[in-house]
Amino acid sequence: MGRQLWRSIAFVGAVVTLTVSCGWAAAIHAAEVSADQVEGRWASEGSTSLTFHEDHTFTAEHFDELPVSSDCAEPSALSSGRWAFYAPAESGQINAADENTTRGTVVSLIFSAGDCEVDAYLFGDEDDPVMCPTGDPDAGCPSDGYLRRNQATASGS
Protein backbone atom coordinates (compact mmCIF):
# COMPACT_ATOMS: atom_id res chain seq x y z
CA MET A 1 0.00 0.00 0.00
CA GLY A 2 1.13 3.50 -0.74
CA ARG A 3 2.02 6.09 1.84
CA GLN A 4 -1.03 8.19 0.91
CA LEU A 5 -3.41 5.27 1.59
CA TRP A 6 -1.83 4.60 4.99
CA ARG A 7 -2.23 8.27 5.92
CA SER A 8 -5.91 8.13 4.97
CA ILE A 9 -6.43 4.98 7.03
CA ALA A 10 -4.61 6.51 10.01
CA PHE A 11 -6.67 9.71 9.74
CA VAL A 12 -9.99 7.81 9.68
CA GLY A 13 -8.86 5.67 12.63
CA ALA A 14 -7.93 8.77 14.63
CA VAL A 15 -11.28 10.43 13.91
CA VAL A 16 -13.18 7.30 14.98
CA THR A 17 -11.10 7.00 18.16
CA LEU A 18 -11.64 10.65 19.07
CA THR A 19 -15.34 10.43 18.33
CA VAL A 20 -15.83 7.48 20.65
CA SER A 21 -13.46 8.64 23.38
CA CYS A 22 -14.89 12.18 23.51
CA GLY A 23 -18.45 11.05 24.04
CA TRP A 24 -19.58 12.04 20.56
CA ALA A 25 -20.65 8.57 19.46
CA ALA A 26 -24.01 8.85 21.23
CA ALA A 27 -24.72 12.23 19.66
CA ILE A 28 -23.71 11.12 16.18
CA HIS A 29 -25.80 7.94 16.23
CA ALA A 30 -28.71 9.28 18.31
CA ALA A 31 -32.21 8.87 16.89
CA GLU A 32 -34.76 11.53 17.77
CA VAL A 33 -38.22 9.98 17.97
CA SER A 34 -41.71 11.09 18.99
CA ALA A 35 -43.71 9.87 21.97
CA ASP A 36 -45.94 7.96 19.53
CA GLN A 37 -42.91 6.03 18.33
CA VAL A 38 -41.92 5.11 21.89
CA GLU A 39 -45.37 3.84 22.87
CA GLY A 40 -45.73 0.08 22.58
CA ARG A 41 -43.58 -2.91 23.42
CA TRP A 42 -39.80 -2.94 23.02
CA ALA A 43 -37.95 -6.23 23.47
CA SER A 44 -34.35 -7.43 23.48
CA GLU A 45 -32.93 -10.61 21.98
CA GLY A 46 -32.64 -11.71 25.59
CA SER A 47 -35.78 -11.79 27.70
CA THR A 48 -36.02 -8.09 28.65
CA SER A 49 -38.98 -6.00 27.50
CA LEU A 50 -40.42 -2.58 28.19
CA THR A 51 -43.99 -1.59 27.31
CA PHE A 52 -44.62 2.15 27.12
CA HIS A 53 -48.10 3.63 27.47
CA GLU A 54 -49.53 6.96 26.28
CA ASP A 55 -50.11 8.09 29.89
CA HIS A 56 -46.30 7.97 30.48
CA THR A 57 -46.38 4.77 32.49
CA PHE A 58 -44.42 1.68 31.53
CA THR A 59 -44.07 -1.93 32.58
CA ALA A 60 -40.86 -3.95 32.47
CA GLU A 61 -40.14 -7.66 32.27
CA HIS A 62 -36.75 -9.08 33.26
CA PHE A 63 -35.18 -5.62 33.47
CA ASP A 64 -32.98 -6.98 36.26
CA GLU A 65 -31.10 -9.01 33.62
CA LEU A 66 -29.59 -5.83 32.13
CA PRO A 67 -26.25 -4.67 33.59
CA VAL A 68 -27.62 -1.15 34.27
CA SER A 69 -30.09 -2.58 36.81
CA SER A 70 -27.19 -3.27 39.19
CA ASP A 71 -27.05 0.49 39.81
CA CYS A 72 -30.49 0.23 41.47
CA ALA A 73 -31.12 -0.75 45.09
CA GLU A 74 -33.62 -3.52 44.29
CA PRO A 75 -33.06 -4.81 40.72
CA SER A 76 -35.64 -7.60 41.07
CA ALA A 77 -38.35 -5.03 41.92
CA LEU A 78 -37.96 -3.06 38.67
CA SER A 79 -41.29 -3.84 37.04
CA SER A 80 -43.07 -0.53 36.40
CA GLY A 81 -42.82 3.22 36.57
CA ARG A 82 -43.08 6.45 34.60
CA TRP A 83 -41.21 7.58 31.51
CA ALA A 84 -40.39 10.95 29.93
CA PHE A 85 -38.05 12.46 27.37
CA TYR A 86 -35.43 14.90 28.53
CA ALA A 87 -36.45 18.47 27.70
CA PRO A 88 -33.91 20.51 25.75
CA ALA A 89 -31.83 22.55 28.16
CA GLU A 90 -32.00 26.31 28.00
CA SER A 91 -28.84 28.32 28.44
CA GLY A 92 -27.41 27.72 31.89
CA GLN A 93 -29.95 25.00 32.70
CA ILE A 94 -29.53 21.26 33.19
CA ASN A 95 -31.59 18.82 31.11
CA ALA A 96 -34.51 17.41 33.07
CA ALA A 97 -37.05 14.72 32.24
CA ASP A 98 -40.38 16.29 31.38
CA GLU A 99 -43.57 14.42 30.44
CA ASN A 100 -44.65 17.40 28.31
CA THR A 101 -41.67 16.92 25.98
CA THR A 102 -42.96 15.16 22.87
CA ARG A 103 -39.69 14.17 21.13
CA GLY A 104 -36.24 13.18 22.20
CA THR A 105 -33.16 10.98 21.99
CA VAL A 106 -33.10 9.90 25.65
CA VAL A 107 -35.94 8.43 27.70
CA SER A 108 -35.84 8.64 31.48
CA LEU A 109 -37.22 5.52 33.17
CA ILE A 110 -38.28 6.26 36.74
CA PHE A 111 -39.12 2.99 38.44
CA SER A 112 -41.85 2.89 41.09
CA ALA A 113 -39.87 0.58 43.35
CA GLY A 114 -36.30 0.82 44.48
CA ASP A 115 -35.94 4.59 44.03
CA CYS A 116 -34.23 4.03 40.70
CA GLU A 117 -33.92 6.12 37.55
CA VAL A 118 -32.32 4.75 34.37
CA ASP A 119 -31.69 6.51 31.08
CA ALA A 120 -32.49 4.70 27.83
CA TYR A 121 -30.74 6.09 24.76
CA LEU A 122 -32.26 5.88 21.29
CA PHE A 123 -29.83 5.05 18.49
CA GLY A 124 -29.90 4.35 14.79
CA ASP A 125 -32.48 5.26 12.22
CA GLU A 126 -35.39 7.48 13.28
CA ASP A 127 -37.79 5.10 11.50
CA ASP A 128 -36.33 1.96 13.12
CA PRO A 129 -34.48 2.95 16.32
CA VAL A 130 -33.02 0.75 19.00
CA MET A 131 -33.16 1.55 22.70
CA CYS A 132 -30.24 1.06 25.06
CA PRO A 133 -30.84 1.40 28.82
CA THR A 134 -27.37 2.23 30.13
CA GLY A 135 -25.44 4.51 32.42
CA ASP A 136 -22.93 5.29 29.65
CA PRO A 137 -24.24 5.73 26.10
CA ASP A 138 -20.73 5.46 24.65
CA ALA A 139 -20.31 2.02 26.22
CA GLY A 140 -23.56 0.86 24.62
CA CYS A 141 -25.41 -2.27 25.61
CA PRO A 142 -24.48 -5.93 25.53
CA SER A 143 -25.46 -7.45 22.19
CA ASP A 144 -28.64 -8.96 23.66
CA GLY A 145 -29.45 -5.81 25.67
CA TYR A 146 -30.58 -3.52 22.83
CA LEU A 147 -34.37 -3.27 22.70
CA ARG A 148 -36.23 -3.02 19.39
CA ARG A 149 -39.76 -1.84 18.84
CA ASN A 150 -42.14 -4.77 18.39
CA GLN A 151 -43.69 -4.03 14.99
CA ALA A 152 -46.86 -5.97 15.92
CA THR A 153 -47.68 -3.26 18.48
CA ALA A 154 -46.49 -0.33 16.37
CA SER A 155 -49.93 0.38 15.00
CA GLY A 156 -52.11 -1.07 17.73
CA SER A 157 -50.66 0.26 20.95
Side-chain angles (χ1 to χ4, degrees):
M1 287 190 201
R3 180 175 281 179
Q4 191 68 10
L5 180 60
W6 279 112
R7 285 184 183 158
S8 296
I9 292 171
F11 176 75
V12 169
V15 168
V16 169
T17 300
L18 286 173
T19 299
V20 172
S21 66
C22 294
W24 297 343
I28 290 172
H29 301 290
E32 183 173 310
V33 302
S34 69
D36 292 343
Q37 289 172 286
V38 171
E39 293 165 12
R41 187 172 186 270
W42 294 67
S44 70
E45 289 180 13
S47 58
T48 303
S49 71
L50 294 169
T51 303
F52 296 91
H53 305 282
E54 185 178 358
D55 66 356
H56 286 270
T57 61
F58 72 90
T59 56
E61 294 178 17
H62 306 287
F63 195 84
D64 60 329
E65 294 178 11
L66 296 179
V68 71
S69 70
S70 65
D71 295 339
C72 300
E74 299 175 53
S76 62
L78 303 177
S79 62
S80 65
R82 299 195 63 80
W83 69 272
F85 287 117
Y86 277 90
E90 295 187 25
S91 180
Q93 300 287 325
I94 296 175
N95 282 4
D98 181 357
E99 290 184 10
N100 293 317
T101 302
T102 59
R103 296 185 65 78
T105 59
V106 182
V107 176
S108 172
L109 306 173
I110 303 165
F111 287 91
S112 300
D115 191 29
C116 183
E117 183 174 345
V118 173
D119 291 335
Y121 296 83
L122 296 157
F123 295 109
D125 185 339
E126 180 180 320
D127 295 325
D128 187 26
V130 294
M131 184 180 290
C132 176
T134 183
D136 180 3
D138 290 327
C141 283
S143 62
D144 65 348
Y146 286 96
L147 291 99
R148 292 194 178 279
R149 176 73 193 258
N150 183 339
Q151 293 305 316
T153 62
S155 60
S157 57

